Amino acid sequence: MNKDFLCLSDWSFDALEKIFALTKDLKSRQKAGLKHHLLSGKTLGMLFEKSSTRTRVSFEAGMFQLGGHALFLAGGSTQMGRGEPIKDTARCMARYVDGVMIRTYSQQAVEEFAQYSSVPVINGLTDLYHPCQVMTDLFTVSEHKQNYRELCYCWIGDGNNMANSWINAAAVFGFELRVATPEGYAPDAGICKRAADAGARIFYTNDPREAARNADVLNTDVWASMGQEAEQQERAKAFADFQINMQLVALADPDCVVMHCLPAHRDEEITDEVIESRHAIIYDEAENRLHVQKAIMATLMG
Ligand code: CP
Ligand code: NVA
């Protein structure tokens, strides 16, 4: 078994399906009010170098529900924020806690941290990936639709951390994925190549309508991610044609579902009307962060 959860393509389909099975079990136990203290007495350290609502709250509440404890460390408040080497921070934290969740900029930093950490490390978002979110998204689709691996998924918008993780997921889970991005905003070329080499069924286009036609799942994210705020205006121009609105939804399967990892900029990348429509499964998606991450933590730290 893997020590860490850094990137979906490090994991096999069978191992990720086991996490889904555990998620289902933990979610039903929580809904029934049954104790599920799989991490009793254990501590998760949470290092955040970027903002968060869902990730922080779901990991912290999740650890509590598992009988453990979570420790919130804002980037600027640690010695790492003042330049202490990652390898020293990683080795010391592993002497105190049973697992670490990190949200930061560079994927390389998370990988270096994991290399020096003797306890499991979970990627809570980097510029390159957001694996916990995409695991959650797939679990959420599986709750709403039969045979989630046989559906047609599409990504509309920026070729960002979410898009890259969807590409990895397409390679591991085998579903069809269509990726529509504006020119110049394609997903990471190395990730696309590795997915293609692994036999992934991914179709790339610059036309959101082509991607959305008859699709079962429409997915998007903000046009400027954390760290790209200065590019907001320039990006708004480049992405103007990539909004998920009712016209785009009308091209997809009549029972399509619409997802967004949140936070959303309503009436930019997705209209308010779509978020409030019967197609959106966005708040189930947000809730499931809790259940899926509990299963990931129990798997790695149990
Ligand atoms: N989707 C997500 O990761 O949300 P936060 O940035 O609020 O954690
Ligand atoms: N792509 C977004 C996701 C936020 C959860 C970002 O990185 O800011």
Side-chain angles (χ1 to χ4, degrees), residues 50-55 103-104 124-130 133 155 158 160-163 220-229 260-263 289:
K50 286 176 175 171
S51 303
S52 170
T53 298
R54 282 142 289 267
T55 304
R103 167 168 287 197
T104 189
L125 178 147
T126 61
D127 290 344
L128 200 63
Y129 294 129
H130 198 359
Q133 181 71 56
W155 178 264
D158 191 17
N160 62 11
N161 42 13
M162 282 293 299
T220 192
D221 186 11
V222 289
W223 292 337
S225 284
M226 290 182 274
Q228 297 173 331
E229 289 79 3
H260 191 306
C261 63
L262 301 176
R289 291 292 300 280

Coordinates of all heavy atoms in Angstrom, one line a residue, residues 50-55 103-104 124-130 133 155 158 160-163 220-229 260-263 289, ligand 2:
K50 N -2.1 28.2 1.7 CA -3.2 28.9 0.9 C -4.4 28.9 1.7 O -4.6 28.1 2.6 CB -3.4 28.2 -0.4 CG -2.3 28.3 -1.5 CD -2.7 27.5 -2.7 CE -1.7 27.7 -3.8 NZ -1.9 26.7 -4.9
S51 N -5.4 29.7 1.3 CA -6.7 29.8 2.0 C -7.5 28.5 1.9 O -7.2 27.7 0.9 CB -7.5 30.9 1.5 OG -6.8 32.1 1.6
S52 N -8.5 28.3 2.7 CA -9.4 27.2 2.6 C -10.6 27.3 3.5 O -10.5 27.8 4.6 CB -8.6 25.9 3.0 OG -9.5 24.8 3.1
T53 N -11.7 26.8 3.0 CA -12.9 26.7 3.9 C -13.2 25.2 4.0 O -13.0 24.6 5.1 CB -14.1 27.4 3.3 OG1 -13.8 28.8 3.2 CG2 -15.4 27.1 4.1
R54 N -13.5 24.5 2.9 CA -13.9 23.1 2.9 C -12.8 22.2 3.3 O -13.0 21.3 4.1 CB -14.4 22.7 1.5 CG -15.8 23.2 1.1 CD -15.9 23.6 -0.3 NE -15.2 24.8 -0.5 CZ -15.7 26.0 -0.5 NH1 -17.0 26.1 -0.3 NH2 -15.0 27.1 -0.6
T55 N -11.6 22.4 2.8 CA -10.5 21.4 3.1 C -10.2 21.4 4.6 O -10.1 20.4 5.3 CB -9.3 21.7 2.3 OG1 -9.7 21.7 0.9 CG2 -8.2 20.7 2.5
R103 N -1.6 21.9 2.2 CA -2.0 22.7 1.0 C -1.0 23.7 0.8 O -0.7 24.6 1.6 CB -3.4 23.3 1.4 CG -3.7 24.4 0.3 CD -5.1 24.9 0.4 NE -6.1 23.9 -0.1 CZ -7.3 24.1 -0.4 NH1 -7.8 25.4 -0.3 NH2 -8.1 23.2 -0.9
T104 N -0.4 23.7 -0.4 CA 0.7 24.6 -0.7 C 0.7 24.9 -2.2 O -0.2 24.5 -3.0 CB 2.0 24.1 -0.2 OG1 3.0 25.1 -0.3 CG2 2.5 22.8 -0.9
G124 N -3.5 18.3 0.1 CA -4.8 19.0 0.2 C -4.9 20.1 -0.8 O -5.7 21.1 -0.6
L125 N -4.2 20.1 -1.9 CA -4.1 20.9 -3.0 C -2.8 21.6 -3.2 O -2.2 22.1 -2.3 CB -5.2 22.1 -3.0 CG -5.3 23.1 -4.1 CD1 -6.7 23.6 -4.3 CD2 -4.3 24.3 -3.9
T126 N -2.3 21.5 -4.5 CA -1.1 22.2 -4.9 C -1.5 22.9 -6.2 O -2.6 22.7 -6.7 CB 0.1 21.3 -5.2 OG1 -0.3 20.4 -6.2 CG2 0.5 20.5 -4.0
D127 N -0.5 23.6 -6.8 CA -0.8 24.3 -8.1 C -1.0 23.2 -9.1 O -1.7 23.5 -10.2 CB 0.4 25.1 -8.5 CG 0.6 26.4 -7.7 OD1 -0.4 26.7 -7.0 OD2 1.7 27.0 -7.7
L128 N -0.5 22.0 -8.9 CA -0.6 20.9 -9.9 C -1.8 20.0 -9.8 O -2.4 19.6 -10.8 CB 0.7 20.1 -9.9 CG 1.0 19.3 -11.1 CD1 1.3 20.2 -12.4 CD2 2.3 18.4 -10.9
Y129 N -2.1 19.7 -8.5 CA -3.2 18.7 -8.3 C -4.1 19.0 -7.2 O -3.7 19.8 -6.2 CB -2.5 17.3 -7.9 CG -1.7 16.6 -8.9 CD1 -0.4 16.2 -8.6 CD2 -2.2 16.4 -10.2 CE1 0.4 15.6 -9.6 CE2 -1.4 15.7 -11.2 CZ -0.1 15.3 -10.8 OH 0.7 14.7 -11.8
H130 N -5.3 18.4 -7.2 CA -6.2 18.4 -6.1 C -6.9 17.1 -5.9 O -8.1 16.9 -6.2 CB -7.3 19.5 -6.3 CG -8.0 20.0 -5.1 ND1 -7.8 19.4 -3.8 CD2 -9.0 20.9 -4.9 CE1 -8.6 20.0 -2.9 NE2 -9.3 20.9 -3.5
Q133 N -10.1 16.2 -3.8 CA -11.4 16.8 -4.4 C -11.9 15.9 -5.5 O -13.1 15.6 -5.6 CB -11.1 18.2 -5.0 CG -12.3 18.9 -5.6 CD -13.3 19.3 -4.6 OE1 -13.0 20.0 -3.6 NE2 -14.6 18.8 -4.7
W155 N -14.7 18.5 -18.7 CA -14.1 19.6 -18.0 C -14.1 20.8 -18.8 O -13.6 20.8 -20.0 CB -12.6 19.2 -17.6 CG -12.0 20.4 -16.9 CD1 -11.2 21.4 -17.4 CD2 -12.1 20.7 -15.5 NE1 -10.9 22.3 -16.4 CE2 -11.4 21.9 -15.2 CE3 -12.8 20.0 -14.4 CZ2 -11.4 22.4 -14.0 CZ3 -12.7 20.6 -13.2 CH2 -12.0 21.8 -13.0
D158 N -10.4 26.1 -17.1 CA -8.9 26.2 -17.0 C -8.3 24.8 -16.9 O -8.8 24.0 -16.2 CB -8.6 27.0 -15.7 CG -7.1 27.5 -15.6 OD1 -6.4 27.4 -16.7 OD2 -6.7 27.8 -14.5
N160 N -6.2 23.6 -15.0 CA -5.5 23.8 -13.7 C -5.3 22.5 -12.9 O -5.4 21.4 -13.4 CB -6.3 24.9 -12.9 CG -7.7 24.4 -12.6 OD1 -8.1 23.2 -12.8 ND2 -8.6 25.3 -12.1
N161 N -5.1 22.7 -11.6 CA -4.9 21.6 -10.7 C -6.1 20.6 -10.7 O -5.9 19.4 -10.7 CB -4.6 22.1 -9.2 CG -5.5 23.2 -8.8 OD1 -6.5 23.5 -9.4 ND2 -5.2 23.8 -7.7
M162 N -7.3 21.1 -10.8 CA -8.5 20.2 -10.9 C -8.5 19.4 -12.2 O -8.7 18.2 -12.2 CB -9.7 21.1 -10.7 CG -10.1 21.5 -9.3 SD -10.5 20.1 -8.3 CE -11.9 19.5 -9.1
A163 N -8.2 20.1 -13.3 CA -8.2 19.5 -14.6 C -7.1 18.4 -14.6 O -7.4 17.3 -15.1 CB -8.0 20.5 -15.7
T220 N -16.5 22.3 -13.7 CA -15.7 23.5 -13.9 C -15.1 24.0 -12.6 O -15.3 23.4 -11.6 CB -16.5 24.6 -14.7 OG1 -15.6 25.7 -15.1 CG2 -17.5 25.3 -13.7
D221 N -14.4 25.1 -12.7 CA -13.7 25.7 -11.6 C -13.4 27.1 -11.9 O -13.6 27.6 -13.1 CB -12.4 24.9 -11.3 CG -11.6 25.3 -10.1 OD1 -12.2 26.0 -9.2 OD2 -10.4 24.9 -9.9
V222 N -12.9 27.9 -10.9 CA -12.6 29.3 -11.2 C -11.6 29.5 -12.3 O -10.9 28.6 -12.6 CB -12.0 29.9 -9.9 CG1 -13.1 30.1 -8.8 CG2 -10.8 29.2 -9.4
W223 N -11.6 30.7 -12.9 CA -10.7 30.9 -14.1 C -9.4 31.4 -13.6 O -8.4 31.2 -14.3 CB -11.4 32.0 -15.0 CG -12.6 31.5 -15.7 CD1 -12.9 30.2 -16.0 CD2 -13.7 32.3 -16.2 NE1 -14.1 30.1 -16.6 CE2 -14.6 31.4 -16.8 CE3 -13.9 33.7 -16.2 CZ2 -15.8 31.8 -17.4 CZ3 -15.1 34.1 -16.9 CH2 -16.0 33.2 -17.5
A224 N -9.3 31.9 -12.4 CA -8.0 32.3 -11.8 C -7.9 31.6 -10.4 O -8.7 31.9 -9.5 CB -7.8 33.8 -11.6
S225 N -7.0 30.7 -10.3 CA -6.8 29.9 -9.1 C -6.0 30.7 -8.1 O -5.5 31.8 -8.4 CB -6.1 28.6 -9.4 OG -6.9 27.7 -10.0
M226 N -5.9 30.2 -6.9 CA -5.1 30.9 -5.8 C -3.7 31.0 -6.3 O -3.1 30.1 -6.8 CB -5.2 30.0 -4.5 CG -6.6 30.1 -3.9 SD -6.6 29.1 -2.3 CE -6.9 27.5 -2.9
G227 N -3.2 32.3 -6.2 CA -1.9 32.6 -6.6 C -1.9 33.2 -8.0 O -0.9 33.8 -8.5
Q228 N -3.1 33.2 -8.7 CA -3.2 33.8 -10.1 C -4.1 35.0 -10.0 O -4.5 35.5 -11.1 CB -3.8 32.8 -11.0 CG -2.9 31.6 -11.2 CD -3.5 30.5 -12.0 OE1 -4.8 30.3 -12.0 NE2 -2.7 29.6 -12.7
E229 N -4.3 35.6 -8.9 CA -5.3 36.7 -8.7 C -4.9 37.9 -9.7 O -5.8 38.5 -10.2 CB -5.3 37.2 -7.3 CG -6.0 36.2 -6.3 CD -5.1 35.1 -5.9 OE1 -3.9 35.0 -6.2 OE2 -5.7 34.2 -5.1
H260 N -18.9 21.6 -9.2 CA -17.9 22.7 -9.0 C -17.3 22.5 -7.7 O -18.0 22.3 -6.7 CB -18.6 24.0 -9.1 CG -17.7 25.2 -9.2 ND1 -16.7 25.4 -8.3 CD2 -17.7 26.2 -10.1 CE1 -16.1 26.6 -8.6 NE2 -16.6 27.1 -9.7
C261 N -16.0 22.5 -7.6 CA -15.3 22.2 -6.3 C -15.6 23.3 -5.3 O -15.4 23.0 -4.1 CB -13.9 21.9 -6.5 SG -12.9 23.3 -7.1
L262 N -15.9 24.5 -5.7 CA -16.1 25.7 -4.9 C -14.7 26.1 -4.3 O -13.9 25.2 -4.0 CB -17.1 25.4 -3.8 CG -18.5 25.1 -4.2 CD1 -19.4 24.8 -3.0 CD2 -19.2 26.2 -5.1
P263 N -14.5 27.4 -4.0 CA -15.5 28.5 -4.1 C -15.7 28.8 -5.6 O -14.8 28.7 -6.4 CB -14.7 29.6 -3.5 CG -13.3 29.3 -3.6 CD -13.2 27.8 -3.5
R289 N -16.5 15.7 0.8 CA -15.1 15.9 1.1 C -14.8 15.2 2.5 O -13.8 14.6 2.7 CB -14.7 17.4 1.2 CG -14.7 18.1 -0.1 CD -13.6 17.6 -1.0 NE -12.3 17.8 -0.5 CZ -11.6 19.0 -0.4 NH1 -12.1 20.1 -1.0 NH2 -10.4 19.1 0.1
Ligands
NVA2 N1 -8.3 25.7 -8.8 C1 -8.7 26.3 -7.5 C2 -9.3 25.2 -6.6 C3 -9.8 25.7 -5.3 C4 -10.3 24.7 -4.4 C5 -7.5 26.9 -6.9 O1 -6.4 26.3 -6.9 O2 -7.6 28.0 -6.3

